[in-house]
Amino acid sequence: MAHTGNQIMNGWFSEICPMWPGMALSVEIEKTLVSTASPYQQIDLYQTRSYGKMLVLDGIIQLTERDEFAYHEMMAHVPLFAHPCPERVLVIGGGDGGTLREAARHKEIRILDICEIDGMVIDISKQYLPEVACGFDDPRVCVHIRDGNLFLDEHPDTYDVIIVDSSDPIGPGEALFEKPFYEKLKRALKPGGLVAAQGESVFIHQETVSRLFSIVKSLFDTRAYASITVPSYPGGTIGICLGSLGVALTQPSRTIPDAMQKHLKYYSEQVHKAAFALPRFAKTLLEQS
Ligand code: SPD
């Protein structure tokens, strides 16, 4: 819990983190709704002036009501539309429920497991962020309050799609950026399965992105990196690092059903494809990883 000190000044929350030294994203807050410590991390929830409610873990912004749709739609729909028929799906992390909410729009899914280490994040999200946490209400969802690494050990050859909706690689999320974790993810996939993980920013986390992508390259025959615009994340962009056991990733393999279209604000067939078109420096970084 190293990043929570002295971040609110004159009504402004500033996100200060050693992973992006020398810069801070500031958001004007009106009220602190929750400030508590779980066994894993500091959990804060603020009412902001212009971004709705904002969830902060260990001093780092996880979501705001205003722009969470961008991240959650892409984290769920890019991998789930890449797969031809995702019947059994696992979300690791994602205790706010946003990725579940989007995943649950896929009628092909029969079992939707979520493995989150910190049950307090789920409880607080259900209480204060009902429009995000509504993903937990779907009857196909099964919640496991567990360490993702241990959970994967017990589920070999089980999932069509695994989505790792993690925080940054400091604190509880650290182990989710290591090679042993990716080896376990691969073992937990069925043939033709794929994994999609929160992949940080190509602008400001080049070392992390490069290391993560080299792990994925060493384990998966098909891999790709997509970019999402999210104003409340550092630098305004965040990536998805994807690896598959043979399935193509950079375009949807199914049409978006009409019933789902009306709920989507960010994801589309064109956005799916365009998210993989990266600037030259990012392409070079990934090629050299
Ligand atoms: N730098 C913050 C990255 C946070 C990514 N995870 C967000 C979780 C939202 N479900």
Side-chain angles (χ1 to χ4, degrees), residues 5-81:
N6 198 23
Q7 290 179 108
I8 296 174
M9 216 193 292
N10 300 328
W12 286 77
F13 165 89
S14 289
E15 183 189 57
I16 297 163
C17 178
M19 269 185 77
W20 42 98
M23 69 180 285
L25 176 70
S26 295
V27 181
E28 191 173 5
I29 58 169
E30 289 179 337
K31 198 173 170 187
T32 301
L33 301 170
V34 176
S35 185
T36 188
S38 78
Y40 299 98
Q41 56 204 337
Q42 173 68 26
I43 305 174
D44 296 299
L45 192 94
Y46 302 103
Q47 179 63 54
T48 74
R49 179 176 170 187
S50 53
Y51 274 75
K53 293 192 198 95
M54 177 169 83
L55 176 66
V56 176
L57 300 180
D58 276 351
I60 305 301
I61 299 169
Q62 300 300 312
L63 68 84
T64 76
E65 285 182 313
R66 181 164 164 183
D67 62 7
E68 57 82 14
F69 69 91
Y71 175 80
H72 290 131
E73 284 187 20
M74 291 294 277
M75 283 300 288
H77 301 312
V78 170
L80 290 169
F81 275 115

Side-chain angles (χ1 to χ4, degrees), residues 87-109:
E87 292 187 341
R88 188 148 186 183
V89 173
L90 169 65
V91 175
I92 296 181
D96 50 72
T99 298
L100 277 186
R101 177 195 65 204
E102 294 305 318
R105 302 196 197 285
H106 291 254
K107 301 300 172 217
E108 293 79 4
I109 298 178

Side-chain angles (χ1 to χ4, degrees), residues 20 60-62 71-72 94 96 165-168 198 200 233-234 238:
W20 42 98
I60 305 301
I61 299 169
Q62 300 300 312
Y71 175 80
H72 290 131
D96 50 72
D165 180 6
S166 71
S167 48
D168 297 314
Q198 192 269 91
E200 299 296 350
Y233 288 153
I238 195 160

